[in-house]
Structure formats: C-alpha cells, structure tokens
Amino acid sequence: MFPWNKFRSQNAGYVKTGGTSVASDSENLPFSSVLGENLTYIRNLLGHSPDITIRQLTFSATNTQVAVVYTNGVIDKELVNKVVIHGLMIESQINQVDGSFNEKSTVDLIRDNVLSIGEVKPMDDWNQAILAILSGDTVIFIDGSLNVLACGTRGGETRSVSEPSTQVVIRGSKEGFTESIGTNVALVRRRIKSANLWLEAMKLGRVTQTDVAIMYIKGLANEKIVGEIKQRLNKIDIDGILESGYIEQLIQDRTMTIFPTLYNTERPDTVAGNLLEGKIAIFVDGTPFVLLAPVTFFMHFQSTEDYYQRFEVATAIRLLRFGALLISLFVPSIFVASITYHQEMIPTPLLISLMAQRESVPFPAFVEAVLMEVTFEILREAGIRMPRAIGQAVSIVGALVLGQAAVEAGLISPAMVIVVSITGISSFATPAYSMALAVRLLRFAMIIAAGILGFYAITILSIIILAHMCALRSFGIPYMAPIGPFILEDQTDTFFKFPLKQYFSRPHLISQSPPQQMDNNESTSASSQEPARRN
C-alpha cells in the first residue's frame, strides 16, 4: 500500500497503477479533431473501465457530434444530468445562433450560451482532460474541435460534518473536518471572513494527483515560512499522497526525532485560531486531519477549550497536563531506580512495606516494570483496534483481571501495578495524540536507563532529551520557544494562561505582523482558538 518513491512505468510518458495508465506531466498530447479518435483514446487509456461514462449527443440543427465524459461515483449526478446534459440537449439555444458552426464558435457557444454551471474552463491537452475526468469533472468533446471544455461537477458520496472522533469537544463548536477538502476549507472560511485569508492549491503524487492546499492570512503569516512550506511541498516526488501523515513526514525539518514538529487537528476552530496567530494550515483531500505549521512543544499541551474558559480554570488544567506529563515520563523510572539503587532515599516505613510486597516477586524491579508497561501498551492498542462495542470493555477488564491475577500469583508487586496504572492514566491527559505517543516511547527509555544506572542515568538521559528538543526546529522556529529562547512577551500563553485582556501581541517568532497593544474594547471572535491575539 506504500506509494514507492522510485516506482516508474516501462512506457515513457505514463505512470501505471494496477491495470490502468494515466498520462504523466512529462508528455502533453494534443487532442484530435475527430471525435471518434478521442473517445477511442480515452477507452484504451483507461482500460475500458465500466465507471467511465461516455454520452454522445447530436445537434440536429448543425449535425455536430458532442460527447460528454465523466466518472461515476465522484460526480454530482444531479448537476451532470440537469445542467450539463440537459443544457446540451436544448436545441433552441443552438438554433438562435446564425452562421456556420466553426471550431471556435461552437466551443464558445456551448460555454457562453448552453452551460449554466459556474465553473467551465477550456483545455487543450490530454493531461488536463484525463485528470479532470478522474477528479470528478465532466469533460465535453466536440467533433471538429481541438479544444474541450471541463465543467466543475465534483461530488459523490461524502461523510457529513460531524463531531471530531479523536478530539473530544467539551465546549465550543461540534463541527469536525471531513474527507472533502472543499468542505474543510469552507468550514474555516465560515470562521474567518477576511479577504486576506489566502488559499493556494496544488496536486501531489504522480499517480494519485491528490489535491493539497495551504491556507494562511496574508500579512500575519511569515512570508519566509510560507515560501519554505511551498518549496518543500513542491519537492515531494512520490507516487501517492493518501493521508496528511505522508506530507508531515516528507516536509518536517528533521526525520530522526521522536517529537512531532507539525500539529494535526480535526477541529476547524483550532485551525482558525492558529491562522490568527500567523501559522499556516495544510489541507489534504481524503483526510479529516489538517496540518498546522510551524509549531512548538508547548502547543501540544494547549487545548482549544482553554481559550473558551476563564483563565483561572484554564491555567489550573494546563498545569495539571504538565504534571501528568512528568508523571507519565518519570514515575516508573524513578520507582525502579529507587528500589534498585537508591533505597536510602525512601522513607523507612514505606521501604519496609515495599520490600514486604516484593518478598515473593521473582523478578527485579526493572524486569517487573518492563513487563507491566508492555502488557499495558498491548491492552491499550488492542482496545483501540477492536470494535468499539467491545474494545473499551476488553481493555478495562483485561487490565483489571491481569493485574489482579499477576499480584495473586506473586509475579508482580501491588506497588508496581499502582505505578503503571497511574502512569497509563496520566498519558491520556496530553491533548495531542502524537505527543502522547512520543512520551510513551520515551518512558521505556527512561525505565531502561533507571535499570542500568539509577538516578544518574535518568539525569543524563533527561539532559540529552532536553538538548535534542532545544536543537529542534519547525520550519526554522525553535521548538522550545518561548522558553528557549526566552521571550517575556509570549509567556502569557505557555505554562499559564493569562486573561484575554492581557493578550497584547501574536507570537513574536511566528507571526510577521509587528506586535502592537490591542484595544481592550476591540471585539473578539468566539470561534477562534486565541481570539484576543490581534494587532
């Protein structure tokens, strides 16, 4: 299923996928003036696919042959039947035109007098026509003409707008992105009605020709970052883009890092809020996950609901998330190091209790912790992959049953079960799933370090991780900003969330617009993530 980078067809000018070939951008073939030759070429090129529909019509007034070509399943059938085909069959519009039907007048007549659809554009080579047909447009071929007309009739069955499945909405909009890039763009435009909201589209993937678009607010987004994103997207040379995760891996600054340097979200209000900060959104057709760039480490611990609540509540919850991060990352390794190497650091009553529990356990604390953590991860992964009706029940019941059975069998100490349980629950407090995955993997590295050299190894590994994070960049922006480098003005939205009236400027390293004090009486947008960050 992976779109191989080096996959090539044996035939020059075509890229093959399965039993079908599509014209590549390396060869622009012109149309034939004979309608029958064009239709034969389409049938042979697309392997006589049954979903390719060709409807031939004849204008009785001039005996001109016309063919309508489209792909079933990806077109709006009502639009094709009632607007395109029905319009072409109304001969009264043809009879109103006097004179001969030469090549130019026929094309112009159909475009200007027959078709009532909004999007109609001429095409003059096969690359454009085949791509339009496979994308859901309706292409009109005219006998005797070297040009064709493409009508915007994209549609088909799509999932309706619903609540995001991976990001629980506590307060705010219940709308979530869908697999349609047009719908996703519209959801953001409904929230930011500005002429400066620019959208630039492109197609990526030699075979899939996936629609990709970048959105940003002109004047707020840093032009250098926008140019860098465009440059990296244009350098992508791959057979197919099936999900935004492909683009995330192909354009990130560093490949060898466990930390996410782009942010993905299903929520339109999250995208709108970040666009107002000067960030850039990347939309990919076929996926509800939109990418945001550039990002920092602290952005992954900020939830959209933080900006819809009072600052006292939002600050307390945010501090709780960072505390859960420390628990998830360090508690198992600290427990292993204390039991194995640093018993003197444990209070005597607690140490006696722990040693009494471990008296019948045959494994050292390191092996015990690894076994429990691996078992917990297996249960969590199984609960995710199983059907929803039984997945949650299996993961919860499995953990309880296995944990209780392991303690009663003397394989695991009760204290280790408590530590692993608290650690697992704390990992769910991270709003960004990609960051939670990174912490889960680092937890195993910390446990191994604790089993080798105790607190000394934990300290050394922590310094290495922190140095690596400080060296990371997201499109040139330091990953640890605004802590490293320290920016005093941006501390209003890191560990603490200040009142909205104290949001005077956008992030200094991300936004291009100069920071200016905001008028306290200026109206704010309730649909954006950070509505008060304005000039």
Side-chain angles (χ1 to χ4, degrees), residues 77-103:
K77 288 187 177 181
E78 184 176 359
L79 196 61
V80 172
N81 294 331
K82 292 187 177 181
V83 178
V84 179
I85 297 179
H86 182 68
L88 290 171
M89 295 179 68
I90 301 179
E91 296 186 8
S92 59
Q93 298 186 37
I94 302 295
N95 296 329
Q96 293 176 0
V97 180
D98 298 328
S100 61
F101 285 81
N102 53 45
E103 174 186 332

Side-chain angles (χ1 to χ4, degrees), residues 254 461-472:
R254 292 183 61 176
L461 182 58
S462 300
I463 294 174
I464 293 174
I465 294 173
L466 187 59
H468 172 71
M469 295 171 63
C470 291
L472 284 179

Side-chain angles (χ1 to χ4, degrees), residues 170-188:
I170 300 175
R171 180 176 181 179
S173 172
K174 300 291 184 178
E175 292 179 330
F177 288 126
T178 69
E179 286 73 20
S180 172
I181 188 173
T183 302
N184 296 342
V185 170
L187 288 174
V188 177

Side-chain angles (χ1 to χ4, degrees), residues 68-85 115-121 132-140 149-157:
V68 178
V69 184
Y70 57 88
T71 304
N72 280 316
V74 294
I75 53 99
D76 187 334
K77 288 187 177 181
E78 184 176 359
L79 196 61
V80 172
N81 294 331
K82 292 187 177 181
V83 178
V84 179
I85 297 179
L115 298 175
S116 59
I117 196 170
E119 183 182 354
V120 179
K121 56 183 178 182
I133 293 172
L134 297 177
S135 299
D137 293 335
T138 300
V139 177
I140 302 174
L149 295 175
C151 308
T153 57
R154 301 186 184 188
E157 297 295 330

Side-chain angles (χ1 to χ4, degrees), residues 146 224 277 358 366:
L146 294 175
K224 293 183 179 179
E277 282 191 341
R358 295 188 49 80
F366 167 72

Side-chain angles (χ1 to χ4, degrees), residues 329 332-333 336 366 369-370 373 442-452:
L329 184 60
S333 57
V336 171
F366 167 72
V370 171
E373 288 290 348
L442 287 176
R443 182 165 64 244
F444 285 95
M446 285 291 182
I447 293 175
I448 294 174
I452 294 175

Side-chain angles (χ1 to χ4, degrees), residues 196 206 208 331:
N196 292 325
R206 293 189 300 267
T208 60
V331 165

Side-chain angles (χ1 to χ4, degrees), residues 112-282:
D112 300 334
N113 299 89
V114 176
L115 298 175
S116 59
I117 196 170
E119 183 182 354
V120 179
K121 56 183 178 182
M123 294 182 175
D124 55 7
D125 67 77
W126 278 106
N127 281 336
Q128 300 177 12
I130 294 298
L131 182 58
I133 293 172
L134 297 177
S135 299
D137 293 335
T138 300
V139 177
I140 302 174
F141 292 85
I142 305 169
D143 191 25
S145 173
L146 294 175
N147 293 321
V148 304
L149 295 175
C151 308
T153 57
R154 301 186 184 188
E157 297 295 330
T158 57
R159 183 170 62 91
S160 60
V161 177
S162 58
E163 186 174 346
S165 58
T166 59
Q167 294 177 309
V168 179
V169 179
I170 300 175
R171 180 176 181 179
S173 172
K174 300 291 184 178
E175 292 179 330
F177 288 126
T178 69
E179 286 73 20
S180 172
I181 188 173
T183 302
N184 296 342
V185 170
L187 288 174
V188 177
R189 284 200 179 275
R190 286 176 54 187
R191 290 163 169 78
I192 304 180
K193 303 176 182 66
S194 171
N196 292 325
L197 184 63
W198 284 20
L199 184 74
E200 300 185 23
M202 62 187 70
K203 293 185 181 295
L204 299 181
R206 293 189 300 267
V207 176
T208 60
Q209 291 291 299
T210 305
D211 291 318
V212 178
I214 62 173
M215 177 182 283
Y216 59 94
I217 299 180
K218 183 70 173 179
L220 297 187
N222 192 309
E223 293 294 340
K224 293 183 179 179
I225 299 178
V226 174
E228 180 67 20
I229 292 178
K230 293 180 186 177
Q231 183 180 5
R232 296 187 188 184
L233 290 174
N234 290 328
K235 287 182 178 179
I236 293 178
D237 185 19
I238 194 171
D239 276 354
I241 299 293
L242 304 180
E243 216 278 333
S244 58
Y246 287 13
I247 292 180
E248 181 178 357
Q249 298 175 61
L250 292 171
I251 68 173
Q252 61 184 355
D253 289 60
R254 292 183 61 176
T255 303
M256 302 304 295
T257 180
I258 199 174
F259 295 100
T261 53
L262 281 88
Y263 188 85
N264 63 82
T265 180
E266 282 189 275
R267 299 187 58 171
D269 52 352
T270 299
V271 173
N274 282 276
L275 289 174
L276 293 174
E277 282 191 341
K279 296 185 176 70
I280 298 96
I282 303 175

